[in-house]
Amino acid sequence: MPDTDVFYTALALLSFFFLIKVSTRLKLSRAKHPSVRGHSKWARRIAKWVPYFSYDEEAFFSSDEAPIAVVNQRKKGFKQLSESLACHSPKSTGFYASLEDSVSDVRFTNLYRVPYPYRNYLGEHIKPASIVTESSGVMLKDLDGRCGVDLSGSYGVNVFGYDFYKSCLKKGFENAQNLGPVLGPYHPIIKNNVEELKRISGLDEVSFHMSGTEAVMQAVRLARYHTGKRYLVRFCGAYHGWWDGVQPGIGNQRKTNDVYTLRDMSERTLSILRTRRDIACVLVNPLQGLHPNSDASSDAMLVNSEREAAFDKTAYSEWLQKLQQVCKERSIVLIFDEVFTGFRLSHKGAQGFFAVQADLVTYGKTVGGGLPVGVLCGRHHLMQRFKEDRPANVSFARGTFNSHPYVMTSMGAFLQAVQAEDIQRSYQVLEQVWNDRVQQMNQALNEAGVPVKLANLSSILTVLYTQPSRYNWMYQYYLRNEGILLSWIGTGRLIMSHNFTDEEFAEVIKRFVSAGVKMKKDGWWWQESALTNKWIKRRMLKDMVKSVSAKRLVKEAKR
């Protein structure tokens, strides 16, 4: 009898602990976004299952089952567009094409500009080129001497205009020319840079790195080192560089599971942070305020018109402030990734814009004055890379090129230049200026009957499509034909420098409207009631399954 009591007691305890574990796991799962983006392991699995297929010429123009008259209209418009683009910059196009077999980035970006079933036929007839020789104001000039309006922003480097950065580089090189590329010793300018970065970040110490990704790597490493905890929390859709440790979904080959991808702006997420004991840090990319829980938009994923974005400053500020408070209560390190937003949203970046103080902050892009750099600012106790009472227990991070003299002097020129009265004054009206400009653009597009609108977070814009379509990705090429230069992700993100005048922005509006009117005229935005976003997704799946079946039949026939 006593043995039986022991058995049932043990069974009850095991059941209790099992239920606790299941309940904890369920709570964590509910804090994740229900989409594949919120479940990194499933995202990787599904990505491996997605088969490749390609539309032939006929399907390329009729994948939405448009009537023959519309298909012919598209064919005619496509031919005119491809010929026009080819005429604009033949030297640049040829030069860029010559790089494809030797520069892996060129091959990758060429293939991932549009949804993959369309890329083969498109690539045979339209060959985009990104070869430029000169910048001036808001314009870039290519090998053929053709100028275009730059909306790529050099991936975020260009906040104040290229002429501003050329000035920083010139001053920086002049100040370091007597030293040259001496590594190890510091140039004296480092002290001024450090003091200014401490003032801007509101933190105690600074370390320098070669890129934003590297700065984020060091921030995460230090957070784990000092807390002794394993897990990092990032938010669904957020991008923090190419490192696998903060990119746990598609593109990640790591087997280690040490990242939780949770919902942005969710009470369930706050509950997880309040109750779990294994979380070292929370990593925030403030750009997510424009599209919470969604990936950075890319035309390669533009299979229908479900792309969403809307910025609510009050709501996102409240969320970040709640997050800060929970992290403080639980001794979780709050890291702001300001590689993109630093100096763009305000002089003190997103911290100043949203009135939140982080424990660690990373900067990059623009702060190098035009040169590559990563910066980490943090509290004294978190930046220390060793334990006083354990001399062999260190968190080593250096990097050969950190504090390169030319980077430091160009950074010094940048940090001095942004203190100018006109720049500081512009920050006070920056948000309103860009909100007004986007409103003007949306009004003009609407009046022209173009099914496009834009959303923005200050000078960061994204294009949204207001009616179901399989061909929204074509808009990037009509914009290019109008002299609008975008990055390889197309209309997903437009990064505009703050030196755009009202007149220059009015010209951008004019070109956006012109591109939209021509695209509509060529039949790409043909519409009927049966063409819904749901129908488009189902048709995409049907085409995928059909292509797989066809390949199997061919394989069987060859046996």
Side-chain angles (χ1 to χ4, degrees):
M1 191 71 176
D3 289 342
T4 304
D5 290 342
V6 170
F7 172 76
Y8 282 114
T9 300
L11 184 61
L13 286 171
L14 284 172
S15 299
F16 174 75
F17 286 119
F18 176 75
L19 288 172
I20 290 283
K21 189 171 183 179
V22 169
S23 175
T24 302
R25 181 64 197 177
L26 182 61
K27 190 175 181 182
L28 178 63
S29 294
R30 293 181 70 195
K32 296 180 179 180
H33 197 266
S35 69
V36 176
R37 290 188 299 270
H39 294 78
S40 303
K41 290 181 182 177
W42 276 107
R44 293 199 300 271
R45 289 175 188 139
I46 292 172
K48 291 178 180 178
W49 298 338
V50 174
Y52 174 76
F53 71 96
S54 179
Y55 289 132
D56 60 18
E57 180 177 356
E58 199 57 36
F60 180 91
F61 293 100
S62 61
S63 60
D64 57 354
E65 298 185 359
I68 188 65
V70 174
V71 170
N72 289 335
Q73 192 178 352
R74 289 171 178 172
K75 288 180 178 180
K76 180 181 177 182
F78 184 81
K79 185 174 185 293
Q80 292 173 341
L81 177 66
S82 62
E83 289 174 351
S84 178
L85 287 169
C87 287
H88 285 324
S89 303
K91 291 181 183 178
S92 299
T93 301
F95 189 94
Y96 196 69
S98 72
L99 299 175
E100 193 165 11
D101 289 337
S102 304
V103 182
S104 59
D105 278 359
V106 173
R107 193 162 61 253
F108 179 81
T109 55
N110 278 350
L111 289 177
Y112 286 88
R113 294 177 188 272
V114 301
Y116 69 86
Y118 300 93
R119 71 189 186 194
N120 281 355
Y121 185 81
L122 183 90
E124 291 172 10
H125 298 86
I126 294 180
K127 300 184 183 298
S130 299
I131 305 295
V132 294
T133 59
E134 187 178 332
S135 66
S136 179
V138 298
M139 310 293 284
L140 293 177
K141 182 186 290 186
D142 67 13
L143 273 175
D144 300 83
R146 186 178 188 237
C147 290
V149 185
D150 178 47
L151 271 61
S152 74
S154 289
Y155 296 109
V157 171
N158 185 18
V159 176
F160 301 107
Y162 291 117
D163 296 319
F164 173 95
Y165 294 92
K166 285 191 279 188
S167 174
C168 291
L169 290 171
K170 183 180 179 182
K171 291 177 182 176
F173 277 55
E174 287 173 354
N175 289 337
Q177 63 181 344
N178 291 335
L179 183 60
V182 175
L183 302 177
Y186 294 127
H187 187 284
I189 193 69
I190 193 170
K191 183 171 178 58
N192 293 338
N193 292 351
V194 167
E195 292 305 315
E196 186 62 17
L197 288 166
K198 285 165 58 178
R199 185 182 70 81
I200 290 166
S201 67
L203 294 165
D204 309 317
E205 289 189 28
V206 179
S207 66
F208 296 103
H209 307 274
M210 273 303 296
S211 69
T213 292
E214 192 178 296
V216 170
M217 292 169 72
Q218 174 65 349
V220 172
R221 171 180 279 196
L222 286 172
R224 287 179 170 145
Y225 175 67
H226 287 290
T227 63
K229 298 173 183 177
R230 174 184 177 189
Y231 280 92
L232 170 149
V233 166
R234 64 185 287 277
F235 294 109
C236 181
Y239 179 72
H240 298 282
W242 52 261
W243 173 44
D244 284 351
V246 290
Q247 190 185 31
I250 295 171
N252 179 5
Q253 306 305 319
R254 289 172 89 227
K255 300 299 181 184
T256 305
N257 180 27
D258 54 11
V259 178
Y260 293 139
T261 300
L262 304 185
R263 298 190 202 203
D264 223 341
M265 303 182 73
S266 169
E267 288 297 326
R268 288 177 176 173
T269 291
L270 296 179
S271 178
I272 290 294
L273 296 176
R274 287 190 182 102
T275 54
R276 292 194 72 95
R277 299 181 179 180
D278 56 357
I279 296 172
C281 57
V282 173
L283 185 56
V284 175
N285 183 342
L287 182 56
Q288 287 301 114
L290 180 57
H291 43 73
N293 298 307
S294 295
D295 296 329
S297 300
S298 165
D299 283 359
M301 303 303 294
L302 200 57
V303 294
N304 59 20
S305 299
E306 288 186 337
R307 180 188 284 172
E308 294 181 347
F311 178 55
D312 184 333
K313 184 178 182 181
T314 300
Y316 199 68
S317 297
E318 290 175 353
W319 156 251
L320 291 177
Q321 288 159 13
K322 286 181 184 177
L323 187 65
Q324 178 191 16
Q325 184 59 36
V326 172
C327 288
K328 184 178 180 181
E329 291 169 1
R330 300 292 297 169
S331 298
I332 297 170
V333 180
L334 178 61
I335 306 172
F336 261 36
D337 178 355
E338 295 237 37
V339 170
F340 197 96
T341 57
F343 298 93
R344 180 170 288 275
L345 300 184
S346 76
H347 182 59
K348 295 193 173 184
Q351 286 195 117
F353 190 73
F354 294 111
V356 175
Q357 178 65 61
D359 301 306
L360 295 172
V361 181
T362 63
Y363 300 102
K365 307 289 187 189
T366 195
V367 74
L371 293 180
V373 71
V375 175
L376 173 62
C377 300
R379 302 188 189 280
H380 279 305
H381 72 281
L382 291 174
M383 294 293 283
Q384 186 164 292
R385 301 176 189 180
F386 60 93
K387 300 288 177 72
E388 294 281 3
D389 57 344
R390 295 289 186 271
N393 185 358
V394 299
S395 177
F396 186 79
R398 281 287 294 162
T400 305
F401 285 97
N402 70 357
S403 306
H404 189 287
Y406 289 103
V407 176
M408 288 295 102
T409 52
S410 296
M411 181 188 295
F414 171 88
L415 291 171
Q416 182 180 20
V418 295
Q419 295 179 52
E421 186 178 338
D422 59 332
I423 289 180
Q424 292 299 315
R425 191 166 54 246
S426 71
Y427 275 129
Q428 298 172 14
V429 296
L430 187 67
E431 189 178 4
Q432 190 62 52
V433 165
W434 285 98
N435 288 348
D436 289 346
R437 287 175 172 176
V438 171
Q439 185 178 2
Q440 291 166 19
M441 181 178 279
N442 286 335
Q443 183 178 344
L445 290 164
N446 183 57
E447 289 173 355
V450 177
V452 166
K453 67 177 182 179
L454 284 86
N456 73 296
L457 168 54
S458 188
S459 55
I460 306 162
L461 287 62
T462 189
V463 177
L464 310 175
Y465 298 90
T466 60
Q467 70 179 41
S469 173
R470 293 197 74 172
Y471 293 100
N472 293 321
W473 46 267
M474 279 294 299
Y475 193 37
Q476 63 180 296
Y477 298 104
Y478 281 86
L479 288 170
R480 180 181 286 269
N481 197 44
E482 295 293 324
I484 295 291
L485 304 183
L486 309 176
S487 68
W488 68 274
I489 61 173
T491 63
R493 181 168 295 167
L494 315 178
I495 308 168
M496 302 192 70
S497 52
H498 293 176
N499 64 319
F500 269 87
T501 64
D502 289 341
E503 291 75 21
E504 287 166 337
F505 193 83
E507 180 62 27
V508 171
I509 293 175
K510 181 181 175 182
R511 297 187 189 202
F512 262 71
V513 170
S514 179
V517 168
K518 290 175 182 177
M519 181 167 165
K520 186 176 181 180
K521 176 178 171 289
D522 288 342
W524 299 105
W525 281 317
W526 166 78
Q527 179 66 18
E528 70 163 8
S529 59
L531 186 66
T532 64
N533 286 321
K534 182 181 285 188
W535 182 92
I536 291 171
K537 286 193 290 186
R538 286 178 176 173
R539 177 58 189 266
M540 182 77 169
L541 183 59
K542 180 181 176 181
D543 291 346
M544 192 184 299
V545 172
K546 185 179 177 182
S547 73
V548 171
S549 301
K551 287 177 182 176
R552 284 179 180 170
L553 288 173
V554 171
K555 209 173 191 180
E556 290 293 327
K558 288 181 178 179
R559 287 182 177 179

